[in-house]
Amino acid sequence: MAFPDDLEWNQPGVEPTQAKKDEGWKPEEKPPAEYFNWFFNRTSQAVKYLKGESDKLIDDAKIGNRTITDTTTAVTGAYTLTKLLSMLGNMIKRITGKSNWYTAPAMTLEDASNHTTATSAAHAASAISSTATGGVAATNVQAAIAELDSEKAPKGYGVGERLTPLASGYDLNTLLLSGMYIVPAPTNIPFTDLFQYGVIVTGGSMFTSQMLVRFESNKTLLYHRHTVNSGSAWSTWKQIATMDLVAPAGYGLGTTANNYTGDIDKTAWETGFYYVRITATGTKPYDYGHMIVMVESAAATIKQIWMTNITNDMQIRQCVNGVWSPWKKIATTDLITPYGLGTTTVQYLNADLNTMLTTGFFYVNGPTMTNYPSGADINAHLLVIARASTHLQQTYYAADGIIYTRICTAGTWSPWKQIATTDYFNYSTEITDTNWNTLTVNGKYYVVGTSALAINGPLPAGDVNHLFYVDVINGTSSRTTYVSQQATNVVTGILYTRKNQGGTWSAWKQIATADQTTYIAAYGSGTGYYWRKWSNGDIEIFGTAAAVVNTAGTVTFPITLASVKMCIAEQNEKGVPNGYVFRAINITTAKFDYQWDVFIGNGSGASCVIHYHVVGT
């Protein structure tokens, strides 16, 4: 049925109220004209919508064109039309295997089904020859598979045929199946080149071994490694030594040394024994001689050891990253004995010690010897340790057992200093009637007082009844000089100490000992209390606490004691002449209680302060 074309009503009118819509028209009620206009206008619009003329109508023109992007992977969920179409396109492309979703596949699903279910040609059971050939007796598929599995080497592992090829870049850490393979540029090998490599694998349930064969144009190199626990940890590759490597022609192994006439400064060497001819070039320590070459890497470290034919000297040098070091002579016994090594020390008579600048062990003496320690015995052993002729150390071991040392820095000698030994630290230096302020040199002294001339000592001037052992320590810092004196009275055993800082002496202080006195080892305080701990272990607590007369209470100590020796407590009644009597009871290591006994009832309820003193451990 066609929609009429004459139901147009354009006057919008006025929409009735919701209440009017709900109750409807009543008998004899005259509806307003605007209500009718609104109703007819809405009816006209509904007809237009149904005829397809409304703006809300959805058709191809309004949907418009959509482009399918077939790279969007399909996932579950609700999405826009464009995304859904793109996911479908990606799925189609993956099914067909083509580069675009709209490209036809090489074979339809129906073609593939027909091919795999065919009963002729390659898929037919008769494709297996009924005649036993190639050493396989079975004439049907299942029997042939069983026979090959039980009696023949598995095809594809290089047995009875060419080496099984593997993909370029194959990771040999994952190659665990026994077989023989060939692979170009594999990973986890001792090289980083693109050569072809043969790999022989022998594997078991726990252990696997690999042999790597490197094919080069002029030689073949063999390497070996193994793993346990199914390849979780491989050993390092080790090269297998073949005869051409152990004794290669021209390297002097098992034959005469290679005659070499080239440049010995070159950086491309191979380990071996060489006889360097006089015509050879480069930095040679002598015109000709034998040379051993040891190569770690042509671009890293090379060592050369030279042996001279005539003098039998040996020298060594190395090349690091293309740079050769100077030749250095190897010290043989005949070279080190002149310096006292491996033999008796060499004697130097009346020597000037300032000229002995070479490392070694020497015996020096003589009445005209110079630059030795002043006052020292002229017979001594001398040890010289030299970094250069201008930087060295000399140690002088005098015959009387006293040792001295000095250094030379940039050609300048320091003064000789005596090395303190155990016997040096004794009170052998005796001083009588001295001014103690002059004792500033490091050492140990025995000070005797016989008159009033002994001043600035630990005892008052004029007191001559003293003998002291004195230790003096003198030191300096970047800012000042420090001197410390410690004196022990030989008669009383009392110790005294003082210091000098920057030229000013402090007063003498007696050092307390355990038999003389105790001292405060620790202390603390807080609101209403103070405590201190003595070096003998005693602890004292002094404190106050607020209280009310005729009201019992408890006072808690600020620290807990191990034991209580004494507890004294009293109360201040603020001027009340007679009243309740205060008592401390139930004394423990952490507190005491207090209560009141009636004497006269004066002061009951008044505030007061409790003072206490506790001694314990």
Side-chain angles (χ1 to χ4, degrees):
M1 173 181 174
F3 282 90
D5 296 331
D6 55 351
L7 293 180
E8 182 177 1
W9 195 274
N10 297 322
Q11 176 57 245
V14 176
E15 182 178 2
T17 64
Q18 187 62 43
K20 175 53 67 180
K21 292 179 182 179
D22 294 337
E23 69 178 0
W25 304 116
K26 295 182 179 180
E28 298 184 359
E29 183 179 1
K30 296 182 179 180
E34 290 301 312
Y35 282 4
F36 279 104
N37 287 332
W38 175 82
F39 179 77
F40 291 150
N41 178 264
R42 297 286 288 176
T43 302
S44 174
Q45 291 183 19
V47 172
K48 289 181 179 181
Y49 178 82
L50 294 174
K51 291 177 64 178
E53 297 177 2
S54 172
D55 290 337
K56 296 182 180 179
L57 183 63
I58 299 176
D59 55 14
D60 284 344
K62 292 188 179 296
I63 292 175
N65 296 328
R66 294 292 187 271
T67 300
I68 294 177
T69 303
D70 57 9
T71 59
T72 304
T73 303
V75 293
T76 184
Y79 301 96
T80 62
L81 178 61
T82 299
K83 187 168 184 177
L84 289 171
L85 292 174
S86 297
M87 288 191 289
L88 287 173
N90 178 264
M91 185 62 69
I92 293 172
K93 183 175 69 173
R94 295 173 64 183
I95 293 173
T96 62
K98 297 298 182 180
S99 59
N100 299 293
W101 69 274
Y102 50 80
T103 303
M107 178 182 289
T108 66
L109 293 176
E110 185 176 0
D111 293 338
S113 175
N114 293 336
H115 179 73
T116 56
T117 58
T119 59
S120 60
H123 293 279
S126 60
I128 299 295
S129 174
S130 59
T131 302
T133 58
V136 180
T139 57
N140 61 73
V141 174
Q142 294 300 327
I145 292 175
E147 184 177 351
L148 289 172
D149 182 60
S150 61
E151 298 181 10
K152 304 297 180 182
K155 185 178 181 180
Y157 295 96
V159 179
E161 57 180 16
R162 291 180 175 272
L163 297 177
T164 300
L166 299 177
S168 178
Y170 195 92
D171 184 1
L172 295 192
N173 282 359
T174 64
L175 188 57
L176 304 174
L177 295 178
S178 296
M180 291 178 283
Y181 307 87
I182 187 169
V183 54
T187 59
N188 287 308
I189 60 172
F191 305 98
T192 57
D193 50 43
L194 301 180
F195 276 98
Q196 291 268 25
Y197 292 90
V199 186
I200 302 174
V201 181
T202 56
S205 60
M206 288 291 293
F207 302 95
T208 299
S209 173
Q210 288 182 348
M211 180 182 294
L212 183 70
V213 184
R214 175 182 167 94
F215 302 115
E216 295 187 9
S217 58
N218 59 347
K219 59 183 176 181
T220 300
L221 303 179
L222 302 176
Y223 296 83
H224 175 266
R225 68 171 182 169
H226 69 276
T227 182
V228 295
N229 298 327
S230 301
S232 59
W234 286 93
S235 67
T236 58
W237 285 103
K238 292 184 179 181
Q239 186 171 358
I240 299 174
T242 53
M243 285 302 299
D244 60 319
L245 295 176
V246 175
Y251 296 104
L253 294 175
T255 182
T256 57
N258 176 26
N259 282 299
Y260 186 77
T261 58
D263 181 7
I264 71 168
D265 290 340
K266 70 178 183 179
T267 58
W269 281 95
E270 290 184 314
T271 298
F273 297 84
Y274 301 84
Y275 182 71
V276 181
R277 309 294 296 186
I278 195 171
T279 55
T281 60
T283 308
K284 298 183 293 183
Y286 298 96
D287 287 339
Y288 53 90
H290 290 88
M291 185 172 69
I292 301 173
V293 178
M294 293 173 286
V295 182
E296 176 189 343
S297 172
T301 303
I302 307 171
K303 290 187 183 296
Q304 292 178 339
I305 299 176
W306 183 284
M307 291 162 284
T308 305
N309 290 2
I310 299 175
T311 62
N312 202 28
D313 289 341
M314 298 178 66
Q315 298 201 34
I316 188 171
R317 70 170 181 170
Q318 69 177 5
C319 177
V320 178
N321 295 326
V323 179
W324 285 100
S325 68
W327 286 100
K328 292 184 179 180
K329 184 177 289 188
I330 297 174
T332 52
T333 304
D334 60 311
L335 296 177
I336 63 177
T337 50
Y339 301 99
L341 297 174
T343 182
T344 56
T345 54
V346 180
Q347 182 178 1
Y348 284 79
L349 181 64
N350 297 323
D352 178 1
L353 299 194
N354 282 2
T355 64
M356 302 190 67
L357 309 177
T358 305
T359 297
F361 299 87
F362 310 96
Y363 181 73
V364 293
N365 67 341
T368 61
M369 183 171 59
T370 57
N371 290 307
Y372 67 97
S374 177
D377 195 304
I378 61 172
N379 297 284
H381 288 90
L382 183 71
L383 169 63
V384 181
I385 303 175
R387 179 170 65 87
S389 61
T390 55
H391 293 78
L392 61 142
Q393 179 180 8
Q394 289 181 343
T395 304
Y396 188 94
Y397 299 87
D400 58 5
I402 299 177
I403 306 173
Y404 305 84
T405 187
R406 67 172 180 168
I407 62 173
C408 178
T409 303
T412 302
W413 288 99
S414 69
W416 285 102
K417 293 183 179 180
Q418 182 178 343
I419 297 177
T421 54
T422 304
D423 59 337
Y424 175 75
F425 290 99
N426 57 48
Y427 298 92
S428 60
T429 304
E430 183 174 325
I431 300 176
T432 302
D433 295 332
T434 185
N435 182 346
W436 286 64
N437 287 358
T438 63
L439 293 179
T440 58
V441 178
N442 283 330
K444 294 178 177 288
Y445 305 89
Y446 181 59
V447 179
V448 180
T450 60
S451 70
L453 296 178
I455 60 175
N456 295 314
L459 298 180
D463 188 343
V464 298
N465 183 25
H466 64 276
L467 302 172
F468 283 96
Y469 291 130
V470 183
D471 294 280
V472 178
I473 302 174
N474 187 317
T476 61
S477 70
S478 59
R479 293 176 298 221
T480 186
T481 300
Y482 300 88
V483 181
S484 173
Q485 290 180 344
Q486 181 171 311
T488 304
N489 191 310
V490 178
V491 177
T492 65
I494 298 176
L495 283 73
Y496 303 86
T497 186
R498 68 169 180 167
K499 69 174 183 177
N500 183 314
Q501 181 175 342
T504 303
W505 285 100
S506 67
W508 284 100
K509 293 182 180 180
Q510 181 177 337
I511 300 175
T513 55
D515 61 327
Q516 290 178 309
T517 184
T518 57
Y519 55 89
I520 297 175
Y523 61 90
S525 62
T527 303
Y529 71 87
Y530 168 80
W531 66 270
R532 61 191 178 194
K533 182 177 182 179
W534 294 90
S535 57
N536 64 357
D538 287 344
I539 299 175
E540 290 185 283
I541 304 175
F542 303 88
T544 63
V548 177
V549 177
N550 199 27
T551 302
T554 299
V555 173
T556 302
F557 301 148
I559 61 173
T560 301
L561 304 174
S563 65
V564 176
K565 296 181 179 180
M566 179 184 71
C567 177
I568 300 175
E570 64 178 3
Q571 56 97 7
N572 180 358
E573 295 186 3
K574 292 188 175 181
V576 178
N578 294 296
Y580 288 83
V581 176
F582 174 82
R583 296 181 184 275
I585 62 174
N586 301 327
I587 300 171
T588 70
T589 57
K591 57 86 178 178
F592 68 84
D593 299 329
Y594 61 86
Q595 66 180 20
W596 308 82
D597 292 338
V598 177
F599 175 63
I600 296 177
N602 294 338
S604 179
S607 299
C608 66
V609 177
I610 296 173
H611 303 273
Y612 62 92
H613 178 203
V614 180
V615 178
T617 58

